[in-house]
Amino acid sequence: EAARDAWSCSSCTLVNACGTSRCEACGAPYARNDNIGEMPAEHGRLSLAQLRGLAPLPPKKLTEEEWVGVETEALLRGDVTGCCSICMEELGTSDQVILSCSHTFHAACIASFERFLRTKARTCPMCRHASYQKKVTSVGVITKRQECARAAQATVRM
């Protein structure tokens, strides 16, 4: 099989790394989309009104540069080193997911939050931003490791 780029889960929109066969957040399998013809490639995710041009299409997926901007915004605001606003525990070095609105959560917490929503319309637990995109991020883990290394070095130097 040809190498593929990062892929977006059709169930939860998480952008997964290439080579993974299942979504890292919800566990949905990778589904290749080979639709050719009159229908748009993403027709499985569009409503009939969107296909007919009666309703607006969903927003385009964020580019890698836009994701870097989202991660930078979260880093400057201090979200990546704080606590998860769903479980209220420190983000630490566990798996983290960043949303397109730049809020960061534990991967398991946001997956659980989405699983138990009573509506299909997903909104950010913090700012209620509708129809967000999400991506696994390591910015918070790297920052936490650097903080721990500084603390250890400061203790040794004393």
Side-chain angles (χ1 to χ4, degrees), residues 14 35 37 43 69 74 77 89 94 108 113 115-116 132 145:
L14 177 74
N35 294 324
H43 81 275
R77 195 173 53 235
E89 291 185 13
S94 59
F113 177 81
R115 191 172 31 252
F116 294 107
Y132 56 81
R145 287 184 181 155

Side-chain angles (χ1 to χ4, degrees), residues 77-100:
R77 195 173 53 235
D79 277 1
V80 295
T81 56
C83 67
C84 173
S85 61
I86 296 174
C87 68
M88 301 308 291
E89 291 185 13
E90 186 177 337
L91 287 168
T93 58
S94 59
D95 294 336
Q96 298 173 17
V97 172
I98 190 165
L99 306 184
S100 53

